[in-house]
Amino acid sequence: MTFILITIAVLGFLSIILEDVIHVDKARSTLFFGTLAWVLYFINPPGHLSTEQLMHALNENLLEIATLWLFLMAAMTFVAYVSSKGVIDALVNKVLPSRMSERKLMYVVGLFAFVFSSMADNITATLVCITVLLSLNLSTEKLLRYLVLVVFAVNSGGAALITGDVTTLMIFLADKVKIGDLILLSLPALASVIFLAFILSISLKGEVVLVKQKMSIAGSDAFIAGLFLATILGTIGANVAFGIPPVLSFLFGLGVMFMAVHFLNKDEAVLEYIRKIEFDTLLFFLGVLLLVGILKEMGVLAHFPQLYEHLPTLAANYTVGLISALFDNVPLTAALLKSGIDMTEAQWLTLTYSVGVGGSLLAIGSAAGVVAMSKIESLTFITYLRFSGYLLAAYSLGFLGVYLVSFAI
């Protein structure tokens, strides 16, 4: 049964990779294989687990999924509201010049995604970046280049601070790295983003022409946009100061938004914005996380600490980053932390970078990649894979940079 369940999980991931070949939407295929694996897990559990043990495993996985679902729902509702009100278009209209080279835009997008994801979460940063890019009416081929940079940049920025990535926070809370170490990490992480922006923009020769329009934003909509920013910053502050889970803070912010819209725009059917969310994205997340969950229950992730018995620590850390492109980096990081691996602070810093950024190498390797692939139809596993060489070079450069700056510790 263990072999059958792992095979089903592999087929689930293959259905994502071969979406363009089999012509089955990835949300449908991953949900089918994910639920099938768990149904079989209950019918014939490996190791003859009791019903209570099976329910505990399922509830634990569903809690993680529900947390991500609710967070994503709240963030997407905020973005749907401010986008429909023209707030993002107005900001782009005001901040960006009328004409800009496509190469310069690449650097601007990369820097914005890096900085924003350091303050906010990767999902929110990705959603905002995608909304901005879609407003520029870029060709499909060029849009894909910018999206690849966004995924890499938000993961790089997230890995640089405890507010940006869960795995960074986990390693920090385990007293493996310090805030000062992460500040050092941010330098090569940013350098790798700039490097990727450079190689992705080499073939870009045109200009982005932004037709300036006189756009006015209603005071109530500007207030909601400010509330969105306050929710992001408040989520970070509440988590650091009081340990409040980000999903709870974001849902509270969403509740405040609903109340504010009710009193500011009494005729506004604010709950309608929840219906504007792309539920294909949420179903895709559900299917992927069910597949990852069954692999975790099968103990597949528990074998990765054995890498450190066969490879030098630095090479193992680099390899773990590559592996995190296939497996959820949170349980992978948890397995490494629980394994009792003995590493220096500098070596933990390289691992922090690798598990945070390595997921960028594949479209399914990070939440940012999954969101981007779900939102943009032309971005598939295969089209993203075309840029794997560029991404591997940028990841390797960043890893080398982190290794070099770690000597300052």
Side-chain angles (χ1 to χ4, degrees), residues 16 26 68 72 126 130 151 280-282 284-286 288 359 362-376 379 384:
I16 303 171
K26 52 185 170 288
L68 182 55
L72 187 57
T126 305
I130 288 174
V151 173
D280 282 358
T281 300
L282 296 177
F284 181 38
F285 260 103
L286 174 58
V288 169
L362 295 177
I364 59 173
S366 67
V370 174
V371 168
M373 192 164 52
S374 302
K375 295 279 287 182
I376 307 298
L379 183 65
Y384 190 95

Side-chain angles (χ1 to χ4, degrees), residues 124-159:
T124 306
T126 305
L127 288 171
V128 172
C129 289
I130 288 174
T131 303
V132 171
L133 289 172
L134 290 177
S135 70
L136 300 178
N137 297 317
L138 298 164
S139 67
T140 299
E141 178 58 33
K142 292 176 181 178
L143 177 62
L144 292 177
R145 289 178 172 268
Y146 289 102
L147 290 173
V148 168
L149 178 65
V150 165
V151 173
F152 185 84
V154 296
N155 284 322
S156 298

Side-chain angles (χ1 to χ4, degrees), residues 319-339:
T319 304
V320 166
L322 303 181
I323 294 172
S324 71
L326 290 171
F327 299 97
D328 186 357
N329 59 359
V330 173
L332 182 58
T333 303
L336 293 173
L337 288 171
K338 292 176 183 177
S339 66

Side-chain angles (χ1 to χ4, degrees), residues 152 185 188-189 191-192 353 392-404:
F152 185 84
L185 183 150
S192 65
Y353 177 84
L392 182 60
Y395 165 74
S396 301
L397 178 67
F399 185 88
L400 176 62
V402 174
Y403 171 68
L404 293 175

